Structure formats: structure tokens, C-alpha cells
Amino acid sequence: MRTTAQRTVLSLSLFLAASFSADAAAMDCESRLYDVLKAAYPGAKTVAGDDGESLRTAGAQPRWIRLEDVACKVWPASPDKTLLAVRLRHEAASGQDAETADLEVLVVDSARPRILQRYRENGALTSDAIRISSVTLDTARYLLNESATAFGVRIDYSGSSRPNPYGSTVMNLYAASGGTLRPVLRKLEVSRERGEWDTQCAGEFESAKRTVAIDAKRDHGYAGLLVSSVEDTRRNVVEGKECADVPGARKKRSVRLSFDGREYAVPADLSGL
């Protein structure tokens, strides 16, 4: 029987091992990223610009890939595979008033730069007054059935208006079906913050946070998705020389998304940009 001290040491060892493994996987992605991208986009050339180095894809309609834009992660559900979410810009320079990019999701062999599956959506990423701040991978275990585990790509948006702050995160889920990678969930808004204020104190704000869980009931072979929302409102008011934060109403709700044989239908009020 282990003592409390032994259990503490064991727990700490397991935590450190897991942390080291996650860090090592991240470093492995970084060290392999260039080779993987060259395998995914044959003929791509390294080019230098005001934003640093990027890859320019071959062909009559080239795309530009900045390495810092690429999300890369070894898939915990299947460590022999590595996941990538690639932002393929239509123009070489970033920081423009309006930008368009394709989004390509890749499943890659973790042992060598070999592309196993891919899905590309042309013009999926657009930045204007509301800009894309990051694209990340969500590798929570979305077990849709005994043989299909999905993973997510999250896209973070932020507004440029100070009087009207805005932030939103949408999530897509991807799963392999018959050896082909495809989206099964599109643009579910998992978080949102927005408001209107005088830039000094007075204003009204609202936020929403959503989590996704797997339901036991299935539709067309895939488990349902339970989306739980917590929505809050608050306002700032001037009280003497102070700015007071006044909490408002909180609303909780849960919605089940069923699979229609191709994808999960997202209600309009849960759908993001």
C-alpha cells in the first residue's frame, strides 16, 4: 500500500512526464514543420518579405504560408499521426485592411513527411474590420463512434473598434470517413464577447461560453453533440469617481446537435462568422 508521500511523488512524476511529453511533441512539430509543408506543397519556394520568411506555393494561383500561422500538433488520440491547420494567404503581405486565405487541414504521418489525409476550403478565412487573430487545433477526444474520433480547428476573431469591442471563437470538427477527411461540424461559436461603451466607463457588455460533450444517443451512426452555453450580461456605470461593474442576467441552456448523415446542423444563434 502506497503512503501519501509515495502517491504525491508518483503523481508529480506522472505530471512531469506528461508535461515533458507534450513539450517534446510540440518541439517535434516545430522541427518537422518545414519538411512537412514542402511535402504537402511540392515546388513551394522560400521567400523573404517584410513579415519575414514564408513559403510561396507553386502554380498559376500561388498562396503564401507563414510558418507562425501554421498550427501543428501530434494527435493524442493517434500519436502516429500529426495534425496541421494551414492558413494559405492569397497575398504575400499581411496586415492589410482586408485579407483572404484558404484553410487546409492535414493529417500527416508522425514518423516521416507523408500526407495521409487533407481537406481544403478555399476562401474560408477572411479578415476585414473583424480580423483573424489565430488558428489553433483542438485535440479533445471527440469520440463519434467506435472507429471515428474527430478533432477540432478553432478560429479566433477580434474586432478593431474600441467603442464596440468584439471577440469570437468558432470551431470546426473534422473526421475521417472512408479514408477521406471532411468537416462534420462547421462554425460553431464556442465563445463570444461584445459590447458598447463610451471608452471611459459607461457601457453594456455580453459574453457567451460554450462546451461540447458527446451524447450516448446516435443518429446515422454518429453520437449527438451536447452544446452547453453560459451567457452573461453586465454593465459599467459611473458612481461618483469610480467605475462600477454591475453584473446582469445569466442564462444557461443546452442544445443537442444531431448528425444528419453528413454533418451536424448548427442553429443560426450558435453559428459564428
Side-chain angles (χ1 to χ4, degrees):
M1 182 176 180
R2 292 191 178 97
T3 66
T4 301
Q6 288 172 324
R7 288 196 295 270
T8 301
V9 170
L10 177 60
S11 297
L12 179 60
S13 298
L14 292 173
F15 172 77
L16 292 174
S19 299
F20 177 80
S21 177
D23 290 344
M27 289 299 294
D28 182 60
C29 273
E30 291 175 11
S31 64
R32 299 174 55 230
L33 183 56
Y34 186 80
D35 290 339
V36 170
L37 291 174
K38 292 288 284 186
Y41 305 100
K45 303 294 184 182
T46 303
V47 295
D50 295 338
D51 298 311
E53 286 190 350
S54 60
L55 286 178
R56 179 183 184 274
T57 64
Q61 294 183 319
R63 299 291 186 254
W64 283 262
I65 305 168
R66 297 173 60 193
L67 267 61
E68 58 266 35
D69 284 345
V70 180
C72 178
K73 185 183 291 187
V74 174
W75 194 6
S78 186
D80 60 325
K81 299 181 179 69
T82 296
L83 308 175
L84 281 81
V86 184
R87 188 172 173 178
L88 295 147
R89 297 175 183 267
H90 288 197
E91 304 291 339
S94 64
Q96 303 177 74
D97 291 338
E99 293 181 336
T100 302
D102 307 334
L103 174 64
E104 186 150 31
V105 181
L106 305 173
V107 180
V108 181
D109 191 325
S110 291
R112 58 188 186 276
R114 182 168 67 98
I115 311 305
L116 303 176
Q117 296 164 328
R118 65 199 305 165
Y119 180 86
R120 182 165 175 170
E121 186 175 354
N122 294 327
L125 305 176
T126 58
S127 290
D128 201 340
I130 297 175
R131 305 187 63 78
I132 294 171
S133 52
S134 68
V135 176
T136 58
L137 290 160
D138 180 347
T139 55
R141 198 173 290 262
Y142 298 103
L143 187 61
L144 305 182
N145 62 27
E146 292 80 359
S147 59
T149 299
F151 62 89
V153 172
R154 294 184 176 229
I155 304 165
D156 296 321
Y157 294 88
S158 60
S160 56
S161 170
R162 189 162 180 261
N164 300 97
Y166 178 86
S168 173
T169 300
V170 301
M171 181 175 73
N172 300 335
L173 287 181
Y174 298 84
S177 177
T180 301
L181 186 70
R182 61 184 180 85
V184 294
L185 176 75
R186 300 173 190 259
K187 297 185 177 181
L188 173 68
E189 188 174 53
V190 292
S191 72
R192 181 187 68 246
E193 294 186 2
R194 63 187 178 191
E196 182 176 359
W197 70 312
D198 63 4
T199 72
Q200 299 298 318
C201 173
E204 297 183 348
F205 307 89
E206 63 178 59
S207 65
K209 300 289 184 184
R210 300 189 176 101
T211 59
V212 179
I214 302 299
D215 187 21
K217 181 185 175 183
R218 296 185 181 180
D219 306 284
H220 300 280
Y222 275 6
L225 300 180
L226 297 175
V227 180
S228 299
S229 302
V230 178
E231 301 170 5
D232 289 300
T233 60
R234 64 182 178 86
R235 59 192 179 93
N236 287 354
V237 296
V238 178
E239 294 185 353
K241 295 183 178 180
E242 302 295 326
C243 183
D245 188 358
V246 182
R250 165 169 283 193
K251 182 169 70 173
K252 296 183 179 181
R253 60 177 175 144
S254 182
V255 176
R256 183 182 186 275
L257 306 184
S258 61
F259 187 70
D260 65 7
R262 182 168 181 81
E263 62 183 55
Y264 294 93
V266 178
D269 62 338
L270 298 182
S271 183
L273 296 172

